[in-house]
Amino acid sequence: MDFSLSGEQRQIRDTVAEFVDEEVVPRAAEIDETDEFPADLIDEMADLGLMGMPFPVEYEGAGLDYHSYAIGLEEISRGSGGLGTVVAAHTSLAGNMIYEFGDERQKEEYLTALNTADDIGAFALSEAEAGSDVPAMSTTAERDGDGYLVNGGKLWISNGSVADTVTLFAKTDPDAGRKGISSFVVRPEEDDGFVVEGTEDKLGDKGCPTAELRFDDMWVPEDRLLGEEGEGFVHALKTLNGGRITIAARSVGIARAALDEAKSYAQQREQFDRPISDFQAIQHKLADMDTKARAAELLMHEAADLKIRDEEYIKEAAQAKLYASEISREVANEGIQIHGGYGYTKDFPAERFYRDAKLSEIYEGTSEVLRNTIAQQLLDE
Ligand SMILES: Cc1cc2nc3c(=O)[nH]c(=O)nc-3n(C[C@H](O)[C@H](O)[C@H](O)COP(=O)(O)OP(=O)(O)OC[C@H]3O[C@@H](n4cnc5c(N)ncnc54)[C@H](O)[C@@H]3O)c2cc1C
């Protein structure tokens, strides 16, 4: 395995890192406090090509490979975990659904507008009674003339209240289990019956609105179906496999931010007439934090590298996301501990890193579900 980044990947990392240090880090506390979608930052990011990183230039994407995109997303998440989710839901999920499974017209029309961030994307799979158990979904899309009549609702949809393009999963054949699920492009502004019920008040991941959506006799034209009827479950799984690499990247970004902050605090905070970084107990915490973050980063790079080489990466992506999300929470926890009492307050970002890190263990496959996936792959090998 070649562990080194290519010249282009280094350049992307450095360019995004510079933008994040100048524009995102100074805004991160405010985004966390207000929980407002940072539309102006998104526009700036679109100008830099950061809202359509892995898609071809013919659709106004940045033309990067998926590995480079994950590197960019790690940097963005180092600045703000909420912004990391905004970009991941928009790109890895909504954008990728259209890029992988859309026809030429759908790509030209919907993917292009996502890549320029003229439109914001969301991916609507989960429901109140169907989270991990996707086939238990109850949203239906019934044939109606030259379109479909959609009824039901979705829960916890990242970007859901600000999205212009939503990739939606619904049952076209409710008796066919997972084979009865289809995927669609839905346009909230155009499709009557699309209702945003509200947004969640969450522990962290602020700035990325997590919405509850409802569909009341929402008519969707048939040219918005992605691929063929009945392919939706496979679309979801394939998209989430790739998405997990970028949630691993988000987790690593947050872990690195927590480590950087804790290290700098430990070097300037004095107790017993010396910096607390002189104490071996603190040094060992920093050593473990760095070791875990680096191990997670390597798993993420490996999964991303397998993906761009068109090799099997389901297990590796699940492992990268599982490990990175768990160590991200652990590293952020130690970050708070190193800050002592200050770490528990909002005077320092340590507690924000902890709240943001936690989410990665839940969405795009909980840690428990990922362990099931990994075990299944392992036993099938
Ligand atoms: C902030 C946020 C943003 C999100 N964004 C999106 C989004 O953009 N789009 C979208 O579609 N969804 C999104 N989700 C939903 C998310 O993917 C689900 O919450 C997740 O898949 C888990 O589903 P659930 O919450 O229904 O939990 P459940 O499936 O009810 O699980 C509850 C517990 O049981 C465990 N469990 C369930 N099944 C098994 C099993 N077979 N084996 C072992 N343990 C099991 C779980 O691991 C968990 O610990 C988001 C969620 C949050 C919190």
Side-chain angles (χ1 to χ4, degrees):
M1 193 190 300
D2 180 1
F3 292 104
S4 58
L5 299 185
S6 70
E8 191 192 42
Q9 287 168 335
R10 277 172 207 280
Q11 201 187 347
I12 287 150
R13 184 194 58 197
D14 294 347
T15 307
V16 182
E18 195 182 324
F19 170 79
V20 167
D21 287 333
E22 282 173 14
E23 305 293 335
V24 181
V25 172
R27 292 273 306 276
E30 171 217 315
I31 294 170
D32 185 58
E33 182 66 30
T34 62
D35 197 12
E36 278 170 19
F37 181 74
D40 56 327
L41 259 185
I42 301 292
D43 287 344
E44 283 184 56
M45 288 165 63
D47 290 343
L48 284 173
L50 301 182
M51 295 305 287
M53 285 188 256
F55 304 118
V57 286
E58 61 182 296
Y59 305 116
E60 304 285 346
L64 302 178
D65 62 51
Y66 204 87
H67 192 172
S68 304
Y69 160 49
I71 291 168
L73 194 88
E74 177 187 324
E75 288 303 325
I76 292 167
S77 306
R78 180 175 62 76
S80 160
L83 199 58
T85 302
V86 169
V87 177
H90 173 89
T91 311
S92 321
L93 302 184
N96 228 51
M97 279 289 292
I98 297 168
Y99 179 58
E100 292 291 341
F101 310 114
D103 60 28
E104 199 46 43
R105 183 201 66 81
Q106 291 168 334
K107 287 185 214 180
E108 273 170 23
E109 196 169 337
Y110 308 124
L111 181 61
T112 303
L114 287 177
N115 291 340
T116 54
D118 286 331
D119 286 352
I120 296 297
F123 174 89
L125 178 68
S126 304
E127 299 185 0
E129 304 301 329
S132 305
D133 186 7
V134 170
M137 72 170 61
S138 58
T139 297
T140 53
E142 207 181 312
R143 261 283 173 191
D144 182 52
D146 50 1
Y148 297 85
L149 209 52
V150 180
N151 280 289
K154 298 284 169 180
L155 200 58
W156 307 300
I157 305 309
S158 301
N159 296 340
S161 57
V162 294
D164 307 276
T165 289
V166 178
T167 52
L168 173 72
F169 297 83
K171 282 191 169 163
T172 41
D173 184 353
D175 299 324
R178 59 183 61 183
K179 290 190 177 146
I181 299 171
S182 303
S183 64
F184 299 87
V185 170
V186 167
R187 306 272 291 165
E189 284 293 311
E190 297 165 33
D191 300 338
D192 289 343
F194 185 107
V195 181
V196 176
E197 287 275 26
T199 54
E200 302 295 338
D201 186 7
K202 314 191 295 276
L203 178 69
D205 201 49
K206 306 285 180 151
C208 178
T210 309
E212 179 173 1
L213 308 176
R214 203 183 72 230
F215 320 110
D216 292 337
D217 279 341
M218 178 178 73
W219 191 80
V220 177
E222 63 189 358
D223 67 0
R224 302 257 208 80
L225 177 72
L226 289 166
E228 304 287 332
E229 275 188 24
E231 291 179 350
F233 184 73
V234 173
H235 292 175
L237 284 193
K238 286 189 172 166
T239 304
L240 289 170
N241 284 335
R244 283 170 190 160
I245 296 172
T246 51
I247 299 306
R250 174 186 184 270
S251 307
V252 172
I254 296 171
R256 280 181 46 218
L259 169 62
D260 290 348
E261 169 68 24
K263 183 176 125 191
S264 126
Y265 183 82
Q267 285 173 317
Q268 60 85 23
R269 170 71 171 172
E270 292 192 1
Q271 290 292 279
F272 302 97
D273 296 325
R274 59 183 119 153
I276 59 169
S277 60
D278 277 6
F279 301 128
Q280 194 181 47
I282 300 294
Q283 291 174 2
H284 283 187
K285 284 191 195 302
L286 293 170
D288 286 346
M289 290 160 80
D290 188 49
T291 305
K292 288 175 179 176
R294 281 172 41 73
E297 191 160 25
L298 286 173
L299 283 177
M300 182 276 281
H301 283 301
E302 189 205 12
D305 187 55
L306 286 171
K307 177 168 165 59
I308 64 168
R309 284 194 283 113
D310 258 343
E311 293 186 24
E312 273 299 323
Y313 67 94
I314 297 173
K315 187 179 84 174
E316 290 77 4
Q319 288 176 322
K321 196 252 186 194
L322 170 67
Y323 184 73
S325 61
E326 293 193 345
I327 69 91
S328 184
R329 191 233 324 124
E330 289 165 16
V331 168
N333 182 43
E334 289 294 51
I336 294 178
Q337 195 67 18
I338 289 173
H339 282 73
Y342 290 111
Y344 201 66
T345 72
K346 298 213 173 200
D347 294 344
F348 286 85
E351 57 84 37
R352 167 165 56 85
F353 300 140
Y354 184 78
R355 289 184 286 108
D356 284 348
K358 178 63 204 171
L359 173 60
S360 296
E361 293 180 292
I362 296 172
Y363 61 3
E364 298 199 32
T366 62
S367 293
E368 293 76 15
V369 165
L370 293 183
R371 284 191 167 87
N372 293 347
T373 304
I374 294 163
Q376 209 171 49
Q377 295 281 320
L378 194 64
L379 294 169
D380 285 351
E381 270 171 10

